[in-house]
Amino acid sequence: MLPDPEDDRSLYVMLFTNQDAYDQVLQATDGIIEYSYTNATDAQALELGDDGWRERGETWRRILPTGVPADSGLSWRLPAGAMRVDLRQDAEELLQLAPTLKQRARGRPSSRSRS
C-alpha cells in the first residue's frame, strides 16, 4: 500500500500473487481502480493516449521513487488461509499480520558494506 505524497485522496496498492483469488477480491472492492503501468503494450491494451500513459508513469515514479515498494509504503504477506478478506471490514485483523519494523529489517539485507 503506497500513499501519494502529492494527493492525500489516493492510496495505491501493488499486489504480487500467484493466486487469482487475491486479485479478484481486490478488483471487486468498491473504490478500487486499476492503474497499472508496466510497459508500452499496456498503454495500447488500456486504450490510453500518450498523455494518460505519461501521467501514470509520473505517478508511479513519484510514489515508488526507489522502485522498492517496502521503501515507500506498507508491505505484508497474507497467509494462504486469508483468501477471503474485505479490506474495509478486516483491516484490523490484516494489520495484526503485518511484520514489525524489526522483522522487516531482518528480512532485508543492509545496503551498507561491512568490514
Side-chain angles (χ1 to χ4, degrees):
M1 300 178 81
L2 303 158
D4 186 337
E6 294 182 15
D7 179 3
D8 62 0
R9 299 169 296 137
S10 299
L11 181 65
Y12 296 83
V13 176
M14 296 179 74
L15 177 67
F16 300 97
T17 182
N18 61 358
Q19 300 178 32
D20 288 339
Y22 286 118
D23 190 50
Q24 291 169 4
V25 168
L26 189 64
Q27 293 294 332
T29 303
D30 289 339
I32 299 287
I33 299 168
E34 190 278 331
Y35 200 75
S36 63
Y37 179 82
T38 55
N39 61 42
T41 59
D42 290 337
Q44 295 169 353
L46 296 171
E47 298 180 6
L48 293 173
D50 289 341
D51 290 340
W53 197 243
R54 194 172 8 265
E55 179 184 321
R56 283 190 185 201
E58 290 168 4
T59 299
W60 281 106
R61 280 187 288 279
R62 181 174 65 243
I63 64 174
L64 202 60
T66 67
V68 178
D71 287 347
S72 302
L74 175 64
S75 164
W76 75 88
R77 182 179 305 177
L78 294 176
M83 293 292 244
R84 291 299 204 180
V85 296
D86 183 321
L87 295 177
R88 294 162 297 176
Q89 294 178 14
D90 300 330
E92 195 61 39
E93 182 180 340
L94 293 175
L95 287 173
Q96 291 176 11
L97 298 173
T100 65
L101 180 58
K102 193 177 221 178
Q103 290 168 323
R104 288 178 61 204
R106 282 190 200 136
R108 185 163 177 224
S110 173
S111 59
R112 296 180 181 174
S113 61
R114 295 184 181 173
S115 50

